[in-house]
Amino acid sequence: MEILRKNREIDHVRTPSEPKNAKRLIQKDLKKNWFVYLMALPVVAWFIIFCYGPMWGVMIAFKDFKPLLGFADSDWVGFKHFIDFFSGPYFWRVVKNTLLLNVWGIVFGFTAPIILALLLNEVRSSKFKRTVQTITYMPHFISLVVVCGIIHIFTANEGVVTQLLSFITGKDYSSLLGYSNLFRPIYTFSGIWQSIGWDSIIYLAAMSSIDPSLYEAADIDGVGRVKKMWYITLPQISPVIIILFIFAIGGLMASGYEKIILLYNPLIYDTADVIASYVYRRGLREASLSYSTAVGLISSIVNFGLLWMTNTIVKRRSESSLW
Amino acid sequence: MEDIKQLKVKRRRKHKSIGDRVFDFTNYTLLTALTLVCFYPILHIFFASVSDPSALMAHKGVLLKPLGFTLDGYKLVFKDNSLLKGYMNTIIYVGLGTLVNMVMTILGAYVLSRRDLYFKNFIMILITITMFFGGGLIPWFLLMKDIGLYNNLWAMILPTALSTWNIIILRTGFQSIPRELEEAALIDGASQANILITVILPLSKATLAVIFLYYLVGNWNSWFNAMVLLKDRELFPLQLLMKEILVANDSTATTIGSAGGVVINSAQSSTAFRELVKYCAIVVSTVPILLVYPFLQKYFVKGVYVGSIKG
């Protein structure tokens, strides 16, 4: 019983109103929970080294970093690299591509799993439902490298998608990854192929906790299935949609550069090159370390700004928000 | 309960209106079409991998069955030392990496699920900030080099040891365990470590299964860190070799006569065999992970939901 009371005591004073007691509380806490703090040690150390370490390294964006001179001895150049990027020829290209790819992703990629979940939710045969789910999950587990390999194979000269497109449009196409105007559809729809099943899980889970009496009431009023979907199911899962939407916006600028690096080629840089792939190419391939750090920094600032903005807007309009 | 359910289903079937039927028909058709679209590419790769290479080269478009039958592609893949080495490396990285992931995540989640820690909020803030801010690729890379995580085994383990998202998912799982259970264990004189191992972990199986799967798949499929941090081909994981075989659009482009290090001897050194090796390599590198997930599928919904919504 003594232990329990101690437990509760500290619980109560977790938001200490009397600063006098703070020191005593900390001592007591450390004495009681030293083992838990010992467990926390590797975790905290990892975050400090691997997450906060690079944040400190961001200062090379303001320096003319030379690996031979090291962090401390490289010269400060202020905002030179930022100005270079803003006034350079690639600024608009990479910003535009990043935004557009993400708009495509949100318009098609974000809505697709919601639609799938709505359709699946109306399926009554649990066997059919399970089969559809198991198969649509499958692509999620295929590695990005292999998915991009499959895209390369399917969009090659003789590939399935190329042939299909030629058949539909009546025009002859060579390798589809050589056309700038096809990159966004290929990128977006392959993304949907890979994640539609997996992403629908969360919406299905949310749907399963909707109160059935809502549907029963609608049944009595003679409401059709489509209307039930639209007026009951969708509004009921809207909090989940909103939260995931905020995250999607927050990830806008940091979009999947791995996939782009695996898919693009110099022929289609004008639609495929995004901020992150540009940072990778300039930084690691061409060793412009400071310059690409500056570009990366801009993108994460914009990213956080977007997240904050979306959250504020959503908060004003509805009850759910991240913070 | 079961009876009532069945009755309801029966009644519903009887009263199916025309609108209902049209809806069901459309719905099932759409879902079947989507399922086929999701499944077809996988089937295509599999058929192609056992097809006769020259027939495959001559073929255009959709593949509904294997063209001929040969296992030559697989023989080449399994005979090849660099791919086998890559397989071994991947198994080591996945095994060790996932172990480190799980231990670290359990520690982090347990600490954050304690209600009575004075510094809990501080640790939580420390962790949450990293979800929104980061240093970016280049500073990260320079740091990895500086602390010696370059071109060695640990470069594949330590930088990915934790995922903030998974800590938060697991913490939420831990917090949903009734506190009375821990208190009962405390009264029985259990230590913190005891409580974690005997009470909390067994009760969080679903969440543990899901994050285990996340880490496992992530480790198995990871290639970018390997590309950036590893230099010796001896250390390359399977996926990086796969990139060389499948995606040849940069300076590591494959040369004639080999596909990503898979040496095809002169008699076979035709483009046809290179194509065949691609398909076989895809099957060989993907099958293990496709075999794992159906076993964990029953935990998906619960685990994913717990973490994302309440997180």
Side-chain angles (χ1 to χ4, degrees), chain A residues 7 11 14 29 32 37 46 52 119 134 141 143 153 202 225 258 262 264 280 307, chain B residues 20 24 27 115-116 118-119 126 132 158 221 223 227 239 247 249 279 289 293 308:
Chain A
N7 239 339
D11 247 24
R14 205 159 48 85
D29 181 46
K32 175 171 162 259
Y37 284 114
W46 187 87
Y52 288 91
L119 294 182
T134 308
F141 294 93
S143 79
I153 290 171
I202 187 153
R225 302 266 293 273
E258 293 194 14
L262 289 170
Y264 74 170
Y280 162 75
L307 186 74
Chain B
D20 250 9
D24 272 337
N27 193 8
R115 269 150 284 218
D116 53 348
Y118 191 83
F119 290 104
L126 185 88
F132 302 108
L158 293 179
N221 290 343
W223 65 284
M227 180 176 76
Q239 295 298 335
V247 184
N249 62 7
Y279 292 109
I289 212 77
Y293 87 87
S308 318

mmCIF file of all heavy atoms in Angstrom, chain A residues 7 11 14 29 32 37 46 52 119 134 141 143 153 202 225 258 262 264 280 307, chain B residues 20 24 27 115-116 118-119 126 132 158 221 223 227 239 247 249 279 289 293 308:
data_model
loop_
_atom_site.group_PDB
_atom_site.id
_atom_site.type_symbol
_atom_site.label_atom_id
_atom_site.label_comp_id
_atom_site.label_asym_id
_atom_site.label_seq_id
_atom_site.Cartn_x
_atom_site.Cartn_y
_atom_site.Cartn_z
ATOM 1 N N ASN A 7 3.278 6.244 -5.462
ATOM 2 C CA ASN A 7 2.972 6.354 -6.881
ATOM 3 C C ASN A 7 2.020 7.499 -7.161
ATOM 4 O O ASN A 7 2.249 8.353 -8.000
ATOM 5 C CB ASN A 7 2.274 5.065 -7.325
ATOM 6 C CG ASN A 7 3.061 4.405 -8.432
ATOM 7 O OD1 ASN A 7 3.837 5.075 -9.086
ATOM 8 N ND2 ASN A 7 2.858 3.130 -8.611
ATOM 9 N N ASP A 11 2.271 11.278 -9.100
ATOM 10 C CA ASP A 11 1.321 11.530 -10.162
ATOM 11 C C ASP A 11 0.671 12.893 -10.014
ATOM 12 O O ASP A 11 0.541 13.641 -10.967
ATOM 13 C CB ASP A 11 0.208 10.476 -10.102
ATOM 14 C CG ASP A 11 0.276 9.592 -11.322
ATOM 15 O OD1 ASP A 11 1.375 9.510 -11.884
ATOM 16 O OD2 ASP A 11 -0.753 9.024 -11.680
ATOM 17 N N ARG A 14 2.794 16.050 -10.837
ATOM 18 C CA ARG A 14 3.549 16.021 -12.081
ATOM 19 C C ARG A 14 3.616 17.407 -12.734
ATOM 20 O O ARG A 14 4.552 17.746 -13.422
ATOM 21 C CB ARG A 14 2.943 15.011 -13.060
ATOM 22 C CG ARG A 14 3.916 14.489 -14.050
ATOM 23 C CD ARG A 14 3.423 13.176 -14.609
ATOM 24 N NE ARG A 14 2.036 13.258 -15.018
ATOM 25 C CZ ARG A 14 1.642 13.703 -16.212
ATOM 26 N NH1 ARG A 14 2.525 14.078 -17.093
ATOM 27 N NH2 ARG A 14 0.376 13.757 -16.512
ATOM 28 N N ASP A 29 11.942 11.291 -7.396
ATOM 29 C CA ASP A 29 11.647 10.635 -8.669
ATOM 30 C C ASP A 29 12.833 9.807 -9.132
ATOM 31 O O ASP A 29 12.685 8.644 -9.527
ATOM 32 C CB ASP A 29 11.292 11.715 -9.695
ATOM 33 C CG ASP A 29 10.934 11.116 -11.045
ATOM 34 O OD1 ASP A 29 10.162 10.151 -11.073
ATOM 35 O OD2 ASP A 29 11.428 11.625 -12.065
ATOM 36 N N LYS A 32 13.241 6.702 -7.035
ATOM 37 C CA LYS A 32 12.230 5.672 -7.257
ATOM 38 C C LYS A 32 12.332 5.070 -8.654
ATOM 39 O O LYS A 32 12.166 3.869 -8.839
ATOM 40 C CB LYS A 32 10.851 6.290 -7.049
ATOM 41 C CG LYS A 32 9.720 5.333 -7.372
ATOM 42 C CD LYS A 32 8.392 5.889 -6.943
ATOM 43 C CE LYS A 32 7.289 5.150 -7.654
ATOM 44 N NZ LYS A 32 6.724 5.847 -8.776
ATOM 45 N N TYR A 37 14.818 5.355 -15.861
ATOM 46 C CA TYR A 37 15.703 6.314 -16.529
ATOM 47 C C TYR A 37 16.871 5.608 -17.204
ATOM 48 O O TYR A 37 17.330 6.009 -18.267
ATOM 49 C CB TYR A 37 16.200 7.384 -15.550
ATOM 50 C CG TYR A 37 15.137 8.407 -15.245
ATOM 51 C CD1 TYR A 37 14.598 8.524 -13.973
ATOM 52 C CD2 TYR A 37 14.647 9.233 -16.256
ATOM 53 C CE1 TYR A 37 13.612 9.444 -13.702
ATOM 54 C CE2 TYR A 37 13.651 10.152 -15.997
ATOM 55 C CZ TYR A 37 13.147 10.261 -14.720
ATOM 56 O OH TYR A 37 12.151 11.167 -14.470
ATOM 57 N N TRP A 46 20.124 7.925 -28.577
ATOM 58 C CA TRP A 46 19.942 7.731 -30.009
ATOM 59 C C TRP A 46 19.336 8.969 -30.663
ATOM 60 O O TRP A 46 19.792 9.412 -31.704
ATOM 61 C CB TRP A 46 19.054 6.510 -30.279
ATOM 62 C CG TRP A 46 18.970 6.163 -31.736
ATOM 63 C CD1 TRP A 46 19.821 5.368 -32.428
ATOM 64 C CD2 TRP A 46 18.011 6.653 -32.683
ATOM 65 N NE1 TRP A 46 19.443 5.319 -33.762
ATOM 66 C CE2 TRP A 46 18.336 6.099 -33.944
ATOM 67 C CE3 TRP A 46 16.912 7.503 -32.597
ATOM 68 C CZ2 TRP A 46 17.615 6.357 -35.100
ATOM 69 C CZ3 TRP A 46 16.180 7.770 -33.756
ATOM 70 C CH2 TRP A 46 16.530 7.207 -34.981
ATOM 71 N N TYR A 52 19.244 14.941 -33.510
ATOM 72 C CA TYR A 52 19.661 16.311 -33.216
ATOM 73 C C TYR A 52 21.050 16.604 -33.754
ATOM 74 O O TYR A 52 21.363 17.744 -34.074
ATOM 75 C CB TYR A 52 19.570 16.586 -31.709
ATOM 76 C CG TYR A 52 18.139 16.692 -31.265
ATOM 77 C CD1 TYR A 52 17.435 15.574 -30.824
ATOM 78 C CD2 TYR A 52 17.459 17.896 -31.343
ATOM 79 C CE1 TYR A 52 16.098 15.655 -30.473
ATOM 80 C CE2 TYR A 52 16.129 18.000 -30.986
ATOM 81 C CZ TYR A 52 15.459 16.873 -30.555
ATOM 82 O OH TYR A 52 14.134 16.962 -30.212
ATOM 83 N N LEU A 119 -16.102 0.933 -50.414
ATOM 84 C CA LEU A 119 -16.620 -0.203 -51.182
ATOM 85 C C LEU A 119 -16.536 -1.495 -50.363
ATOM 86 O O LEU A 119 -17.491 -2.257 -50.294
ATOM 87 C CB LEU A 119 -15.844 -0.365 -52.486
ATOM 88 C CG LEU A 119 -15.975 0.763 -53.521
ATOM 89 C CD1 LEU A 119 -15.184 0.441 -54.771
ATOM 90 C CD2 LEU A 119 -17.438 1.004 -53.878
ATOM 91 N N THR A 134 -6.407 -9.368 -48.658
ATOM 92 C CA THR A 134 -5.107 -10.047 -48.687
ATOM 93 C C THR A 134 -4.345 -9.715 -49.969
ATOM 94 O O THR A 134 -3.140 -9.456 -49.934
ATOM 95 C CB THR A 134 -5.293 -11.573 -48.590
ATOM 96 O OG1 THR A 134 -6.110 -11.840 -47.462
ATOM 97 C CG2 THR A 134 -3.967 -12.279 -48.439
ATOM 98 N N PHE A 141 4.086 -4.927 -49.554
ATOM 99 C CA PHE A 141 5.236 -5.631 -48.997
ATOM 100 C C PHE A 141 6.357 -5.839 -50.004
ATOM 101 O O PHE A 141 7.406 -6.380 -49.674
ATOM 102 C CB PHE A 141 4.794 -6.971 -48.408
ATOM 103 C CG PHE A 141 3.912 -6.784 -47.226
ATOM 104 C CD1 PHE A 141 2.548 -6.759 -47.353
ATOM 105 C CD2 PHE A 141 4.462 -6.569 -45.974
ATOM 106 C CE1 PHE A 141 1.734 -6.542 -46.268
ATOM 107 C CE2 PHE A 141 3.659 -6.345 -44.882
ATOM 108 C CZ PHE A 141 2.291 -6.335 -45.027
ATOM 109 N N SER A 143 9.352 -4.551 -52.183
ATOM 110 C CA SER A 143 10.262 -3.437 -51.926
ATOM 111 C C SER A 143 10.155 -2.390 -53.018
ATOM 112 O O SER A 143 9.789 -2.667 -54.155
ATOM 113 C CB SER A 143 11.690 -3.937 -51.839
ATOM 114 O OG SER A 143 12.198 -4.159 -53.129
ATOM 115 N N ILE A 153 9.935 -2.394 -66.211
ATOM 116 C CA ILE A 153 9.617 -3.491 -67.121
ATOM 117 C C ILE A 153 8.298 -3.229 -67.846
ATOM 118 O O ILE A 153 8.190 -3.382 -69.051
ATOM 119 C CB ILE A 153 9.547 -4.836 -66.350
ATOM 120 C CG1 ILE A 153 10.947 -5.249 -65.886
ATOM 121 C CG2 ILE A 153 8.920 -5.920 -67.209
ATOM 122 C CD1 ILE A 153 10.961 -6.426 -64.937
ATOM 123 N N ILE A 202 -6.910 1.524 -42.141
ATOM 124 C CA ILE A 202 -7.240 2.435 -41.062
ATOM 125 C C ILE A 202 -8.663 2.970 -41.198
ATOM 126 O O ILE A 202 -9.382 3.118 -40.218
ATOM 127 C CB ILE A 202 -6.202 3.552 -41.016
ATOM 128 C CG1 ILE A 202 -6.427 4.413 -39.813
ATOM 129 C CG2 ILE A 202 -6.199 4.388 -42.261
ATOM 130 C CD1 ILE A 202 -5.186 5.059 -39.375
ATOM 131 N N ARG A 225 -28.286 2.618 -50.460
ATOM 132 C CA ARG A 225 -26.928 2.286 -50.017
ATOM 133 C C ARG A 225 -25.931 3.418 -50.270
ATOM 134 O O ARG A 225 -25.086 3.721 -49.441
ATOM 135 C CB ARG A 225 -26.442 1.015 -50.738
ATOM 136 C CG ARG A 225 -27.334 -0.204 -50.520
ATOM 137 C CD ARG A 225 -26.874 -1.057 -49.376
ATOM 138 N NE ARG A 225 -25.604 -1.711 -49.612
ATOM 139 C CZ ARG A 225 -25.468 -2.884 -50.224
ATOM 140 N NH1 ARG A 225 -26.539 -3.499 -50.691
ATOM 141 N NH2 ARG A 225 -24.297 -3.431 -50.375
ATOM 142 N N GLU A 258 13.156 8.541 -52.754
ATOM 143 C CA GLU A 258 13.742 7.254 -53.128
ATOM 144 C C GLU A 258 13.129 6.753 -54.427
ATOM 145 O O GLU A 258 13.819 6.300 -55.322
ATOM 146 C CB GLU A 258 13.515 6.223 -52.022
ATOM 147 C CG GLU A 258 14.260 6.535 -50.746
ATOM 148 C CD GLU A 258 14.299 5.348 -49.802
ATOM 149 O OE1 GLU A 258 13.986 4.227 -50.228
ATOM 150 O OE2 GLU A 258 14.639 5.548 -48.625
ATOM 151 N N LEU A 262 14.820 6.287 -58.197
ATOM 152 C CA LEU A 262 14.799 5.003 -58.900
ATOM 153 C C LEU A 262 14.119 5.091 -60.275
ATOM 154 O O LEU A 262 14.330 4.250 -61.125
ATOM 155 C CB LEU A 262 14.064 3.952 -58.065
ATOM 156 C CG LEU A 262 14.787 3.457 -56.818
ATOM 157 C CD1 LEU A 262 13.853 2.620 -55.960
ATOM 158 C CD2 LEU A 262 16.018 2.654 -57.183
ATOM 159 N N TYR A 264 13.561 8.280 -62.270
ATOM 160 C CA TYR A 264 13.778 9.335 -63.258
ATOM 161 C C TYR A 264 15.064 9.149 -64.052
ATOM 162 O O TYR A 264 15.902 8.302 -63.754
ATOM 163 C CB TYR A 264 13.713 10.726 -62.616
ATOM 164 C CG TYR A 264 14.888 11.172 -61.768
ATOM 165 C CD1 TYR A 264 14.971 12.500 -61.345
ATOM 166 C CD2 TYR A 264 15.895 10.311 -61.392
ATOM 167 C CE1 TYR A 264 16.018 12.946 -60.574
ATOM 168 C CE2 TYR A 264 16.948 10.757 -60.618
ATOM 169 C CZ TYR A 264 17.006 12.069 -60.219
ATOM 170 O OH TYR A 264 18.038 12.511 -59.454
ATOM 171 N N TYR A 280 19.778 15.422 -53.277
ATOM 172 C CA TYR A 280 20.590 14.204 -53.346
ATOM 173 C C TYR A 280 21.620 14.301 -54.464
ATOM 174 O O TYR A 280 22.795 14.007 -54.280
ATOM 175 C CB TYR A 280 19.665 12.999 -53.562
ATOM 176 C CG TYR A 280 20.370 11.767 -54.068
ATOM 177 C CD1 TYR A 280 21.157 11.003 -53.212
ATOM 178 C CD2 TYR A 280 20.270 11.381 -55.396
ATOM 179 C CE1 TYR A 280 21.813 9.882 -53.679
ATOM 180 C CE2 TYR A 280 20.915 10.254 -55.867
ATOM 181 C CZ TYR A 280 21.690 9.517 -54.998
ATOM 182 O OH TYR A 280 22.338 8.412 -55.458
ATOM 183 N N LEU A 307 2.387 22.317 -42.691
ATOM 184 C CA LEU A 307 1.754 21.499 -41.666
ATOM 185 C C LEU A 307 1.017 22.376 -40.667
ATOM 186 O O LEU A 307 -0.140 22.148 -40.323
ATOM 187 C CB LEU A 307 2.815 20.660 -40.952
ATOM 188 C CG LEU A 307 2.311 19.655 -39.942
ATOM 189 C CD1 LEU A 307 1.685 18.487 -40.663
ATOM 190 C CD2 LEU A 307 3.429 19.169 -39.046
ATOM 191 N N ASP B 20 -30.487 -2.304 -54.596
ATOM 192 C CA ASP B 20 -29.512 -3.052 -53.821
ATOM 193 C C ASP B 20 -28.700 -3.987 -54.707
ATOM 194 O O ASP B 20 -27.480 -4.070 -54.602
ATOM 195 C CB ASP B 20 -30.236 -3.885 -52.766
ATOM 196 C CG ASP B 20 -29.981 -3.336 -51.387
ATOM 197 O OD1 ASP B 20 -29.405 -2.232 -51.312
ATOM 198 O OD2 ASP B 20 -30.359 -4.005 -50.416
ATOM 199 N N ASP B 24 -24.786 -3.859 -55.393
ATOM 200 C CA ASP B 24 -23.897 -4.988 -55.075
ATOM 201 C C ASP B 24 -23.114 -5.444 -56.297
ATOM 202 O O ASP B 24 -21.911 -5.689 -56.216
ATOM 203 C CB ASP B 24 -24.715 -6.170 -54.528
ATOM 204 C CG ASP B 24 -24.889 -6.051 -53.024
ATOM 205 O OD1 ASP B 24 -24.057 -5.361 -52.406
ATOM 206 O OD2 ASP B 24 -25.846 -6.625 -52.491
ATOM 207 N N ASN B 27 -20.449 -2.921 -57.105
ATOM 208 C CA ASN B 27 -19.435 -2.970 -56.057
ATOM 209 C C ASN B 27 -18.508 -4.179 -56.230
ATOM 210 O O ASN B 27 -17.275 -4.033 -56.244
ATOM 211 C CB ASN B 27 -20.154 -3.030 -54.708
ATOM 212 C CG ASN B 27 -19.206 -2.768 -53.555
ATOM 213 O OD1 ASN B 27 -18.059 -2.402 -53.777
ATOM 214 N ND2 ASN B 27 -19.679 -2.964 -52.352
ATOM 215 N N ARG B 115 3.419 6.726 -16.032
ATOM 216 C CA ARG B 115 2.682 7.949 -15.751
ATOM 217 C C ARG B 115 3.388 8.822 -14.727
ATOM 218 O O ARG B 115 3.073 9.965 -14.545
ATOM 219 C CB ARG B 115 1.286 7.607 -15.236
ATOM 220 C CG ARG B 115 0.290 7.524 -16.361
ATOM 221 C CD ARG B 115 -0.793 6.546 -16.049
ATOM 222 N NE ARG B 115 -0.300 5.183 -16.209
ATOM 223 C CZ ARG B 115 -1.034 4.195 -16.720
ATOM 224 N NH1 ARG B 115 -2.267 4.422 -17.073
ATOM 225 N NH2 ARG B 115 -0.538 2.992 -16.865
ATOM 226 N N ASP B 116 4.354 8.249 -14.034
ATOM 227 C CA ASP B 116 4.873 8.945 -12.867
ATOM 228 C C ASP B 116 6.317 9.420 -13.021
ATOM 229 O O ASP B 116 7.029 9.549 -12.056
ATOM 230 C CB ASP B 116 4.774 8.016 -11.655
ATOM 231 C CG ASP B 116 5.439 6.685 -11.935
ATOM 232 O OD1 ASP B 116 5.759 6.426 -13.114
ATOM 233 O OD2 ASP B 116 5.642 5.916 -10.989
ATOM 234 N N TYR B 118 9.058 12.230 -13.701
ATOM 235 C CA TYR B 118 9.146 13.688 -13.660
ATOM 236 C C TYR B 118 9.567 14.234 -15.021
ATOM 237 O O TYR B 118 9.067 15.247 -15.475
ATOM 238 C CB TYR B 118 10.154 14.107 -12.589
ATOM 239 C CG TYR B 118 10.112 15.576 -12.300
ATOM 240 C CD1 TYR B 118 9.163 16.092 -11.411
ATOM 241 C CD2 TYR B 118 11.003 16.456 -12.913
ATOM 242 C CE1 TYR B 118 9.104 17.435 -11.144
ATOM 243 C CE2 TYR B 118 10.954 17.815 -12.646
ATOM 244 C CZ TYR B 118 10.002 18.299 -11.755
ATOM 245 O OH TYR B 118 9.954 19.635 -11.502
ATOM 246 N N PHE B 119 10.471 13.532 -15.699
ATOM 247 C CA PHE B 119 11.010 14.051 -16.960
ATOM 248 C C PHE B 119 10.295 13.495 -18.197
ATOM 249 O O PHE B 119 10.814 13.587 -19.296
ATOM 250 C CB PHE B 119 12.506 13.751 -17.054
ATOM 251 C CG PHE B 119 13.313 14.553 -16.089
ATOM 252 C CD1 PHE B 119 13.828 13.972 -14.938
ATOM 253 C CD2 PHE B 119 13.547 15.900 -16.313
ATOM 254 C CE1 PHE B 119 14.559 14.722 -14.043
ATOM 255 C CE2 PHE B 119 14.281 16.649 -15.427
ATOM 256 C CZ PHE B 119 14.784 16.070 -14.279
ATOM 257 N N LEU B 126 11.195 15.963 -26.677
ATOM 258 C CA LEU B 126 12.450 15.676 -27.377
ATOM 259 C C LEU B 126 12.207 14.772 -28.578
ATOM 260 O O LEU B 126 12.761 14.972 -29.659
ATOM 261 C CB LEU B 126 13.415 14.984 -26.400
ATOM 262 C CG LEU B 126 14.830 14.700 -26.875
ATOM 263 C CD1 LEU B 126 15.711 15.897 -26.603
ATOM 264 C CD2 LEU B 126 15.403 13.465 -26.207
ATOM 265 N N PHE B 132 8.988 16.424 -36.855
ATOM 266 C CA PHE B 132 8.696 17.579 -37.709
ATOM 267 C C PHE B 132 9.950 18.266 -38.232
ATOM 268 O O PHE B 132 9.922 18.931 -39.248
ATOM 269 C CB PHE B 132 7.821 18.574 -36.955
ATOM 270 C CG PHE B 132 6.535 17.972 -36.490
ATOM 271 C CD1 PHE B 132 6.320 17.701 -35.139
ATOM 272 C CD2 PHE B 132 5.550 17.633 -37.395
ATOM 273 C CE1 PHE B 132 5.135 17.123 -34.714
ATOM 274 C CE2 PHE B 132 4.363 17.059 -36.986
ATOM 275 C CZ PHE B 132 4.155 16.801 -35.644
ATOM 276 N N LEU B 158 22.547 0.932 -36.880
ATOM 277 C CA LEU B 158 22.317 2.017 -35.926
ATOM 278 C C LEU B 158 21.508 3.217 -36.464
ATOM 279 O O LEU B 158 20.618 3.695 -35.782
ATOM 280 C CB LEU B 158 23.654 2.504 -35.345
ATOM 281 C CG LEU B 158 24.345 1.465 -34.459
ATOM 282 C CD1 LEU B 158 25.669 1.994 -33.931
ATOM 283 C CD2 LEU B 158 23.445 1.052 -33.305
ATOM 284 N N ASN B 221 13.553 -4.347 -47.065
ATOM 285 C CA ASN B 221 13.441 -3.575 -48.292
ATOM 286 C C ASN B 221 14.374 -2.387 -48.385
ATOM 287 O O ASN B 221 14.388 -1.684 -49.381
ATOM 288 C CB ASN B 221 12.000 -3.084 -48.461
ATOM 289 C CG ASN B 221 11.064 -4.224 -48.784
ATOM 290 O OD1 ASN B 221 11.498 -5.293 -49.187
ATOM 291 N ND2 ASN B 221 9.784 -4.011 -48.591
ATOM 292 N N TRP B 223 17.332 0.119 -49.009
ATOM 293 C CA TRP B 223 18.442 0.153 -49.955
ATOM 294 C C TRP B 223 19.153 1.495 -49.962
ATOM 295 O O TRP B 223 20.337 1.560 -50.254
ATOM 296 C CB TRP B 223 17.937 -0.115 -51.375
ATOM 297 C CG TRP B 223 17.014 0.973 -51.841
ATOM 298 C CD1 TRP B 223 15.712 1.159 -51.481
ATOM 299 C CD2 TRP B 223 17.341 2.072 -52.689
ATOM 300 N NE1 TRP B 223 15.206 2.279 -52.061
ATOM 301 C CE2 TRP B 223 16.185 2.869 -52.813
ATOM 302 C CE3 TRP B 223 18.502 2.475 -53.366
ATOM 303 C CZ2 TRP B 223 16.145 4.041 -53.572
ATOM 304 C CZ3 TRP B 223 18.450 3.636 -54.135
ATOM 305 C CH2 TRP B 223 17.280 4.404 -54.224
ATOM 306 N N MET B 227 23.082 2.327 -50.199
ATOM 307 C CA MET B 227 23.690 2.967 -51.363
ATOM 308 C C MET B 227 24.581 4.143 -50.939
ATOM 309 O O MET B 227 25.643 4.367 -51.503
ATOM 310 C CB MET B 227 22.596 3.466 -52.310
ATOM 311 C CG MET B 227 23.147 4.138 -53.555
ATOM 312 S SD MET B 227 21.848 4.603 -54.707
ATOM 313 C CE MET B 227 21.167 6.031 -53.907
ATOM 314 N N GLN B 239 18.752 -5.773 -51.782
ATOM 315 C CA GLN B 239 17.986 -4.752 -52.510
ATOM 316 C C GLN B 239 18.875 -3.819 -53.328
ATOM 317 O O GLN B 239 18.471 -3.323 -54.374
ATOM 318 C CB GLN B 239 17.132 -3.919 -51.545
ATOM 319 C CG GLN B 239 16.048 -4.709 -50.841
ATOM 320 C CD GLN B 239 15.041 -5.306 -51.796
ATOM 321 O OE1 GLN B 239 14.823 -4.828 -52.903
ATOM 322 N NE2 GLN B 239 14.421 -6.402 -51.381
ATOM 323 N N VAL B 247 17.197 -1.391 -62.167
ATOM 324 C CA VAL B 247 17.079 0.029 -62.475
ATOM 325 C C VAL B 247 18.428 0.529 -62.934
ATOM 326 O O VAL B 247 19.267 0.876 -62.132
ATOM 327 C CB VAL B 247 16.615 0.815 -61.239
ATOM 328 C CG1 VAL B 247 16.411 2.269 -61.593
ATOM 329 C CG2 VAL B 247 15.335 0.223 -60.692
ATOM 330 N N ASN B 249 19.600 3.278 -64.604
ATOM 331 C CA ASN B 249 19.545 4.582 -65.268
ATOM 332 C C ASN B 249 20.604 5.555 -64.760
ATOM 333 O O ASN B 249 20.479 6.749 -64.885
ATOM 334 C CB ASN B 249 18.154 5.199 -65.161
ATOM 335 C CG ASN B 249 17.753 5.450 -63.732
ATOM 336 O OD1 ASN B 249 18.569 5.286 -62.825
ATOM 337 N ND2 ASN B 249 16.521 5.849 -63.522
ATOM 338 N N TYR B 279 13.621 -11.150 -63.906
ATOM 339 C CA TYR B 279 12.378 -11.695 -63.363
ATOM 340 C C TYR B 279 12.653 -12.664 -62.216
ATOM 341 O O TYR B 279 11.997 -12.619 -61.172
ATOM 342 C CB TYR B 279 11.581 -12.403 -64.465
ATOM 343 C CG TYR B 279 11.034 -11.467 -65.504
ATOM 344 C CD1 TYR B 279 11.550 -11.443 -66.794
ATOM 345 C CD2 TYR B 279 9.995 -10.601 -65.194
ATOM 346 C CE1 TYR B 279 11.045 -10.576 -67.751
ATOM 347 C CE2 TYR B 279 9.486 -9.731 -66.147
ATOM 348 C CZ TYR B 279 10.011 -9.719 -67.422
ATOM 349 O OH TYR B 279 9.505 -8.869 -68.352
ATOM 350 N N ILE B 289 9.381 -12.160 -48.103
ATOM 351 C CA ILE B 289 8.577 -11.165 -47.390
ATOM 352 C C ILE B 289 7.092 -11.379 -47.666
ATOM 353 O O ILE B 289 6.252 -11.142 -46.802
ATOM 354 C CB ILE B 289 9.059 -9.738 -47.751
ATOM 355 C CG1 ILE B 289 8.862 -8.800 -46.581
ATOM 356 C CG2 ILE B 289 8.388 -9.160 -48.978
ATOM 357 C CD1 ILE B 289 9.878 -8.954 -45.524
ATOM 358 N N TYR B 293 3.723 -11.930 -44.330
ATOM 359 C CA TYR B 293 2.630 -11.070 -43.871
ATOM 360 C C TYR B 293 1.291 -11.756 -43.646
ATOM 361 O O TYR B 293 0.564 -11.346 -42.736
ATOM 362 C CB TYR B 293 2.495 -9.835 -44.767
ATOM 363 C CG TYR B 293 1.625 -9.987 -45.989
ATOM 364 C CD1 TYR B 293 0.249 -9.763 -45.917
ATOM 365 C CD2 TYR B 293 2.167 -10.328 -47.198
ATOM 366 C CE1 TYR B 293 -0.544 -9.904 -47.042
ATOM 367 C CE2 TYR B 293 1.387 -10.471 -48.323
ATOM 368 C CZ TYR B 293 0.032 -10.269 -48.241
ATOM 369 O OH TYR B 293 -0.753 -10.405 -49.338
ATOM 370 N N SER B 308 -2.489 4.724 -34.784
ATOM 371 C CA SER B 308 -2.683 5.924 -35.588
ATOM 372 C C SER B 308 -3.725 6.861 -35.022
ATOM 373 O O SER B 308 -3.577 8.071 -35.088
ATOM 374 C CB SER B 308 -3.083 5.530 -36.999
ATOM 375 O OG SER B 308 -2.313 4.448 -37.408
#
